[in-house]
Amino acid sequence: MPGWLNASLWGLLSGSALVLGAAIAYFFDVPRRLIAGIMAYGSGVLISALSFDLMDEAYRKGGFVSTAFGFVAGALVYTVAAQFLAGRGAKHRKRSNGKQPSEEDAEGSGSAIALGALLDGIPESIVIGLSLLRGGTVSSVVVTAIFLSNLPEGLSSAAGMKKAGRSAKYIFGVWFGIAALSSLASLAGYLLFEGLPPSVIAATTATAAGAILAMLADTMIPEAFESAHDYAGLLTVFGFLTAFALTKAGAG
């Protein structure tokens, strides 16, 4: 299978978890504490993956300076973009507790929430394409971590959209669209960086890792703690351990 097609399909697979989570939230009444618990678990998975897979790989290929620069740059760009969208109604885009505004409450918030969801997903998808450049095979740890974190993202955000009175057309339009764009982002990560020096790929990987960590702290972890604070820490640890075990199994 051509590398570009491989990257596209893996990106689509990880993005499909968003659609699956949205469908579960839309058709079933999922308890908030359960959604929050899954969110905490997904946060732990991503933290482990970006620590032991993304950042470690970036450091080995590009050294500390380019890795640190990319990591901080990614977090900075994400934060600025997230703050811009928050002012337009996307602040609570991952909340399932009814804090998301309706279009009547904040005109234009629907577009802002959709763009915010896209902002959250693009760095993860680009990383999938970049991982294929290492040796022609995708990182199973990265794909698994992104899939396991996308599922609760879709669950929580879609539950909030439904409570805000948004239509099924809007909800599934957003998540199907982002799943498709995830595929394109993964494809871009593969095609745009193929043949570039390892230091550039390393810095880009670190940039994506910084954006992912900023997203976790800004959206997923607050949602997890708000509803499952008694167990949020423990579930995050279990998620971290899952991805850590996958990393070590792959290394072996």
Side-chain angles (χ1 to χ4, degrees), residues 11 14-15 18 54 77-78 81 93-94 114-130 142 146 150 153 175 177-190 192-193 204-205 207-209 211-212 215:
S14 66
L18 294 166
L54 303 184
V77 170
Y78 174 87
R93 60 187 176 276
K94 281 197 173 71
L115 289 173
L118 179 62
L119 172 68
D120 297 339
I122 290 301
E124 301 170 349
S125 302
I126 290 176
V127 160
I128 292 176
L130 291 175
V142 170
I146 294 173
N150 277 346
E153 284 187 54
W175 296 117
I178 292 176
L181 289 171
S182 294
S183 177
L184 292 176
S186 182
L187 175 62
Y190 179 82
L192 296 179
F193 294 91
T204 306
T205 300
T207 300
I212 292 170
M215 179 273 292

Side-chain angles (χ1 to χ4, degrees), residues 22-47:
I24 294 172
Y26 188 82
F27 292 109
F28 301 96
D29 186 17
V30 184
R32 277 183 57 201
R33 285 176 66 86
L34 178 58
I35 294 175
I38 299 172
M39 188 76 83
Y41 180 84
S43 298
V45 168
L46 266 185
I47 291 172

Side-chain angles (χ1 to χ4, degrees), residues 6-206:
N6 204 11
S8 180
L9 291 176
W10 281 116
L12 183 62
L13 175 64
S14 66
S16 68
L18 294 166
V19 180
L20 177 60
I24 294 172
Y26 188 82
F27 292 109
F28 301 96
D29 186 17
V30 184
R32 277 183 57 201
R33 285 176 66 86
L34 178 58
I35 294 175
I38 299 172
M39 188 76 83
Y41 180 84
S43 298
V45 168
L46 266 185
I47 291 172
S48 180
L50 68 87
S51 299
F52 294 102
D53 200 82
L54 303 184
M55 287 297 286
D56 186 62
E57 177 73 12
Y59 176 76
R60 287 191 293 107
K61 292 291 179 66
F64 179 78
V65 174
S66 63
T67 300
F69 177 81
F71 192 60
V72 174
L76 181 61
V77 170
Y78 174 87
T79 300
V80 171
Q83 287 300 311
F84 174 80
L85 292 172
R88 284 152 181 78
K91 181 177 178 61
H92 299 297
R93 60 187 176 276
K94 281 197 173 71
R95 297 301 180 96
S96 61
N97 57 4
K99 287 187 177 181
Q100 282 190 30
S102 65
E103 197 66 24
E104 291 74 22
D105 295 331
E107 186 177 354
S109 60
S111 298
I113 289 171
L115 289 173
L118 179 62
L119 172 68
D120 297 339
I122 290 301
E124 301 170 349
S125 302
I126 290 176
V127 160
I128 292 176
L130 291 175
S131 75
L132 275 164
L133 297 175
R134 300 180 192 176
T137 57
V138 74
S139 169
S140 59
V141 177
V142 170
V143 172
T144 302
I146 294 173
F147 188 93
L148 290 176
S149 64
N150 277 346
L151 183 64
E153 284 187 54
L155 259 172
S156 184
S157 188
M161 291 175 181
K162 185 178 179 182
K163 287 183 179 178
R166 302 193 185 278
S167 66
K169 181 179 179 181
Y170 169 86
I171 294 172
F172 288 105
V174 165
W175 296 117
F176 272 110
I178 292 176
L181 289 171
S182 294
S183 177
L184 292 176
S186 182
L187 175 62
Y190 179 82
L191 291 179
L192 296 179
F193 294 91
E194 188 177 17
L196 292 181
S199 59
V200 175
I201 297 173
T204 306
T205 300

